[in-house]
């Protein structure tokens, strides 16, 4: 699928422009903040060509694209007609984004601020690491012009981090980013740094100023930017439009800047130091235990999108302590995914599986693990477990040797320069080499010996193409499945459904029913895979792997479950003819929504041919054979 079509399908299936509150992207994912998560057609998005999977976590709706995420992001924002990223939010619809809990709001803020500069952080970290290697190997000295220029390129981001974070935070908080960048600039102004370094005491209007070295700092400018966003909006409300151009920035800089130097900066600087000390205190309780636990579980944390909550802690360790042992442990988990994908590649007989696993291993080696995780490890399950075991052992080795990372940035092979101490190569670099090699070899062997079995070609192909829904077992295919009618009513072809996603077959083959009875029954023996939060849709998987979606009404997600009484729950085993739900079709019609109910085989590509066994536009009783699925 070309990126234009993919972007169009993603926008439509997340609920349209009116449902998008915010959009940004990281290395592999489009990260939406949706006004109503239940309005998104998750299974449809997962099945789009070009989408690896969908993850809902940390208050975000994350569409995993892979290496081409930036191109798709640009196409999505182009079709939206404006940038929804970098802190802009969609207020056109006039409907507020759902309020999130405190943790989800924190994650959303951190993602919005840090994501735009992650690549830059990685690049700067690699430059610094390579310079450390060059001086350790006596290729350069700190007095050489080459070193001085390259060091300026690598070090400027970290030295002037408050300016760059100030700009990014300003955009995230919907403030003027140039104002917040200017405040960040004041924090690292040469005279301020000189006064701190000299131990001078300063006062402002007789009030003592607690000086701190804000170079490379993170938290003070983030809070200052949030304060600036509130101050700026207050002055915009109070000042006449003719005065705002000059006086809003003037008053915002003065008020926020003074508050930052007197209150915000000192408090957050102390907090940064305490956070770094607390992190090290926990780590020092038992470095090896920390290494094993983090090494084993980190990629699981990544899957749920919760790793962004750790980013400020990891960056703060670098900026405060000038090293970080925690991120040193986390890096080996990337090599665990390399080994898992490599093990599958070496053992698989299917060319299709090998064509996925081989590039996925190479991608993971370069630090991008999503192709390995979503294309190999998770679909087959056991390789992911083997990667966790290998990652735990590699993390333990890393901690046992006392490895540290001296920069924040690249992962996988690109992390190597970050393990080089600026004072010269030490045990950290050797620990990186040993732990990474052990992790790759161990993950490869465990996966090859215990984590992957070759299956018949059809089953293997299906497993390679599809990530099974969470909480459901991978089910073996049989000779065919009979689908019996779930709802009494008139059967019509999907092409007559007044919804493009159904009528064009984007979600799969099937039929639709115009109901004449309120009860919805199970179409076969199987397991409930999903019950939509808004109760309007139920997905059920047969015992031989047919995935069927019963979508009660069109756009009824907007009724937020009011017309539906669900009688089953996710992961529940059901029998043919068991009551699944009761729908109030009169309420749906009274709210001007269609009651037509599509019944879709969502994994149609794996089950051809699919044949309708009744004449369209005829009344069909429940329990009658209506569809034959191969």
């Amino acid at each position: 699928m070309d990126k234009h079509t993919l972007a169009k399908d993603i926008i439509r299936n997340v609920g349209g422009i009116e449902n998008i509150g915010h959009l940004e992207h990281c290395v592999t994912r489009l990260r939406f903040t949706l006004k109503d998560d239940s309005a998104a057609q998750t299974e449809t998005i997962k099945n789009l060509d070009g989408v690896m999977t969908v993850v809902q976590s940390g208050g975000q709706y994350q569409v995993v694209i892979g290496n081409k995420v930036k191109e798709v992001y640009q196409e999505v924002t182009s079709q939206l007609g404006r940038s929804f990223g970098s802190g802009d939010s969609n207020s056109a619809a006039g409907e507020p984004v759902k309020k999130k809990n405190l943790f989800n709001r924190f994650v959303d803020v951190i993602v919005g601020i840090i994501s735009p500069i992650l690549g830059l952080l990685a690049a700067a970290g690699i430059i610094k690491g390579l310079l450390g290697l060059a001086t350790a190997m006596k290729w350069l000295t700190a007095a050489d012009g080459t070193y001085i220029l390259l060091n300026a390129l690598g070090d400027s981001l970290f030295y002037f981090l408050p300016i760059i974070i100030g700009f990014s935070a300003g955009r995230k908080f919907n403030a003027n980013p140039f104002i917040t960048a200017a405040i960040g600039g004041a924090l690292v102004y040469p005279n301020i740094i000189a006064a701190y370094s000299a131990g001078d005491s300063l006062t402002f209007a007789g009030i003592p100023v607690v000086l701190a070295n804000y170079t490379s700092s993170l938290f003070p400018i983030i809070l200052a930017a949030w304060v600036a966003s509130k101050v700026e909006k207050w002055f915009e409300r109070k000042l006449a439009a003719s005065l705002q151009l000059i006086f809003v920035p003037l008053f915002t800089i003065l008020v926020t800047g003074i508050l930052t130097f007197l209150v915000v900066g000192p408090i957050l600087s102390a907090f940064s130091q305490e956070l770094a000390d607390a992190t090290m205190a926990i780590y020092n309780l038992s470095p090896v235990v920390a290494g094993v636990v983090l090494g084993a579980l980190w990629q699981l944390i990544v899957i749920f999108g919760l790793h962004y909550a750790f980013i400020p802690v990891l960056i703060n360790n670098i900026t405060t302590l000038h090293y970080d042992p925690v991120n040193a442990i986390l890096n080996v988990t990337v090599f665990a995914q390399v080994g898992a994908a490599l093990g599958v590649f070496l053992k698989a007989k299917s060319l299709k599986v090998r064509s996925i696993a081989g590039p996925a291993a190479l991608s993971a080696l370069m630090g991008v693990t999503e192709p390995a995780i979503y294309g190999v490890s998770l679909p087959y399950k056991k390789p992911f477990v083997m990667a966790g075991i290998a990652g735990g052992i590699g993390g333990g080795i890393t901690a046992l040797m006392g490895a540290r990372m001296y920069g924040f940035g690249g992962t996988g092979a690109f992390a190597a320069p970050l393990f080089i101490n600026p004072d010269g190569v030490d045990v950290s670099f050797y620990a990186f080499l040993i732990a990474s090699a052990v992790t790759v070899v161990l993950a490869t062997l465990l996966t090859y010996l215990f984590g992957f079995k070759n299956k018949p070609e059809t089953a293997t192909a299906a497993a390679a193409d599809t990530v099974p829904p969470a909480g459901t077992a991978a089910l073996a295919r049989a000779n065919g499945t009979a689908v019996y009618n779930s709802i009494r009513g008139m059967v019509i072809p999907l092409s007559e459904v007044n919804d493009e996603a159904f009528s064009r077959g984007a979600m799969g083959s099937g039929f639709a029913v115009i109901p004449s009875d309120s009860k919805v029954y199970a179409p076969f023996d199987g397991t409930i895979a999903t019950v939509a939060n808004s109760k309007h849709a139920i997905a059920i998987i047969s015992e031989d792997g047919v995935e069927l979606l019963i979508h009660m009404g069109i756009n009824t997600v907007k009724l937020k479950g009011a017309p539906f009484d669900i009688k089953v729950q996710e992961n529940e085993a059901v029998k043919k003819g068991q009551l699944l739900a009761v729908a109030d079709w009169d309420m749906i019609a009274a709210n001007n929504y269609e009651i037509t109910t599509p019944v879709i085989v969502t994994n149609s590509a794996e089950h051809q041919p699919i044949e309708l066994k009744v004449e369209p536009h005829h009344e069909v009783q429940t329990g009658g054979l209506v569809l034959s699925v191969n």
Side-chain angles (χ1 to χ4, degrees):
M1 183 182 296
D2 65 90
K3 63 182 180 180
H4 177 83
T5 302
L6 178 59
K8 182 179 178 181
D9 287 345
I10 290 173
I11 293 170
R12 181 175 71 249
N13 286 295
V14 296
I17 185 173
E18 67 276 4
N19 194 40
I20 302 174
H22 179 73
L23 170 63
E24 60 229 349
H25 75 88
C26 59
V27 179
T28 56
R29 309 180 187 200
L30 296 175
R31 294 175 172 269
F32 291 93
T33 301
L34 301 181
K35 295 177 179 178
D36 183 359
D37 285 355
S38 63
Q41 302 297 320
T42 300
E43 291 304 317
T44 301
I45 297 173
K46 285 182 178 179
N47 289 327
L48 292 175
D49 183 16
V51 173
M52 292 181 177
T53 192
V54 173
V55 177
Q56 292 175 262
S57 183
Q60 291 190 323
Y61 191 90
Q62 304 166 19
V63 182
V64 182
I65 302 295
N67 296 335
K68 296 186 179 296
V69 66
K70 187 173 182 180
E71 298 175 19
V72 177
Y73 170 81
Q74 291 172 341
E75 185 62 36
V76 169
T77 54
S78 173
Q79 292 186 26
L80 290 173
R82 54 171 289 189
S83 174
F84 274 69
S86 306
D88 293 342
S89 61
N90 174 18
S91 57
E95 183 181 343
V97 177
K98 281 184 176 179
K99 193 149 182 89
K100 304 181 180 71
N101 62 43
L102 185 61
F103 176 76
N104 285 346
R105 288 160 64 188
F106 169 75
V107 171
D108 182 58
V109 167
I110 292 301
V111 169
I113 294 172
I114 301 296
S115 288
I117 66 166
L118 275 178
L120 186 58
L121 281 168
I126 289 172
I127 291 173
K128 294 283 289 181
L130 291 175
L131 282 175
L133 177 63
T135 54
M137 301 299 294
K138 309 299 184 184
W139 298 335
L140 292 173
T141 69
D144 290 339
T146 301
Y147 179 94
I148 293 172
L149 291 179
L150 290 177
N151 188 57
L153 293 174
D155 203 37
S156 63
L157 170 65
F158 296 102
Y159 189 92
F160 296 110
L161 192 63
I163 299 176
I164 296 169
I165 291 293
F167 186 86
S168 184
R171 298 178 73 177
K172 175 61 182 176
F173 294 129
N174 292 317
N176 183 332
F178 296 100
I179 293 177
T180 49
I183 295 169
L187 292 176
V188 294
Y189 191 70
N191 287 352
I192 299 295
I193 301 301
Y196 169 79
S197 300
D200 296 342
S201 59
L202 297 180
T203 61
F204 177 81
I207 303 172
V209 178
V210 179
L211 291 175
N213 185 352
Y214 294 107
T215 60
S216 303
S217 65
L218 181 70
F219 292 110
I221 187 57
I222 290 178
L223 184 55
W226 179 81
V227 172
S229 71
K230 303 301 181 184
V231 172
E232 181 184 10
K233 289 179 176 60
W234 190 87
F235 281 114
E236 285 176 345
R237 292 194 301 269
K238 298 298 180 181
L239 295 177
S242 59
L243 301 175
Q244 290 184 6
L245 179 64
I246 295 175
F247 289 101
V248 167
L250 172 63
F251 293 147
T252 301
I253 287 177
L254 287 175
V255 172
T256 308
I258 292 169
L259 283 174
T260 300
F261 277 112
L262 294 181
V263 181
V264 173
I267 291 175
L268 266 295
S269 291
F271 170 78
S272 296
Q273 186 61 53
E274 290 297 326
L275 181 62
D277 292 343
T279 303
M280 289 306 300
I282 294 171
Y283 172 82
N284 288 329
L285 287 175
S286 179
V288 175
V289 172
V292 171
V293 172
L294 287 173
L297 299 180
W298 182 248
Q299 288 297 330
L300 188 63
I301 293 172
V302 171
I303 287 173
F304 287 103
L306 301 179
H307 55 301
Y308 272 90
F310 290 80
I311 286 178
V313 178
L314 304 179
I315 295 178
N316 186 67
N317 285 345
I318 295 295
T319 58
T320 305
L321 305 172
H322 306 297
Y323 63 83
D324 180 22
V326 178
N327 208 18
I329 294 169
L330 304 182
N331 189 71
V332 300
T333 67
V334 174
F335 290 98
Q337 291 299 325
V338 174
L342 185 59
V344 172
F345 173 78
L346 293 174
K347 190 169 186 179
K349 296 179 180 179
S350 166
L351 291 177
K352 186 170 185 179
V353 175
R354 290 167 61 87
S355 71
I356 295 172
L362 181 60
S363 175
L365 183 63
M366 298 296 105
V368 179
T369 56
E370 272 80 358
I373 292 174
Y374 296 114
V376 181
S377 296
L378 280 182
Y380 296 107
K381 296 182 178 63
K382 285 186 178 180
F384 191 81
V385 175
M386 301 305 149
I389 294 171
I393 293 172
I397 293 172
T398 303
L400 183 65
M401 296 183 68
R404 297 173 173 180
M405 288 184 76
Y406 296 93
F408 182 87
T411 58
F414 288 119
L418 306 180
F419 284 84
I420 299 173
N421 190 326
D423 297 329
V425 175
D426 60 13
V427 69
S428 293
F429 186 71
Y430 301 121
F432 162 77
L433 295 177
I434 293 170
S436 300
V438 169
T439 303
V440 169
V441 172
L442 188 59
T444 302
L445 288 175
L446 287 174
T447 302
Y448 187 90
L449 296 174
F450 309 111
F452 180 80
K453 292 183 179 180
N454 284 294
K455 299 178 181 180
E457 184 67 25
T458 54
T460 304
D465 291 339
T466 306
V467 178
T472 62
L475 300 173
R477 293 180 58 179
N479 293 327
T481 299
V483 177
Y484 298 92
N485 192 38
S486 297
I487 309 170
R488 189 175 72 209
M490 185 173 70
V491 172
I492 64 172
L494 283 181
S495 59
E496 296 181 14
V497 174
N498 188 25
D499 185 291
E500 187 175 326
F502 296 112
S503 62
R504 292 193 174 183
M507 296 184 66
S509 303
F511 61 97
V513 179
I514 301 176
S516 58
D517 184 73
S518 62
K519 295 179 180 178
V520 181
Y521 298 96
F524 43 57
D525 295 348
T527 303
I528 301 299
T530 305
V531 176
N533 292 337
S534 52
K535 302 180 182 180
H536 72 291
I538 298 174
I540 179 173
I541 300 184
S542 74
E543 293 177 344
D544 48 6
V546 173
E547 301 171 11
L548 200 74
L549 176 69
I550 303 172
H551 193 285
M552 294 174 280
I554 303 298
N555 293 323
T556 47
V557 62
K558 298 179 181 179
L559 296 177
K560 303 188 183 301
F564 307 108
D565 179 14
I566 303 299
K567 303 296 185 180
V568 292
Q569 57 187 358
E570 290 184 3
N571 298 322
E572 179 179 342
V574 296
K575 293 293 185 181
K576 171 184 170 293
Q578 181 176 333
L579 183 63
L580 302 181
V582 178
D584 189 340
W585 304 118
D586 292 336
M587 178 189 290
I588 293 171
N591 281 277
N592 297 317
Y593 293 105
E594 292 189 28
I595 66 173
T596 302
T597 297
V599 180
I600 308 293
V601 179
T602 54
N603 58 344
S604 296
E606 303 170 25
H607 296 280
Q608 294 295 333
I610 297 173
E611 301 177 22
L612 188 63
K613 292 297 186 179
V614 298
E615 287 293 326
H617 307 106
H618 282 72
E619 186 84 7
V620 178
Q621 299 298 314
T622 56
L625 179 64
V626 68
L627 206 66
S628 175
V629 182
N630 183 45

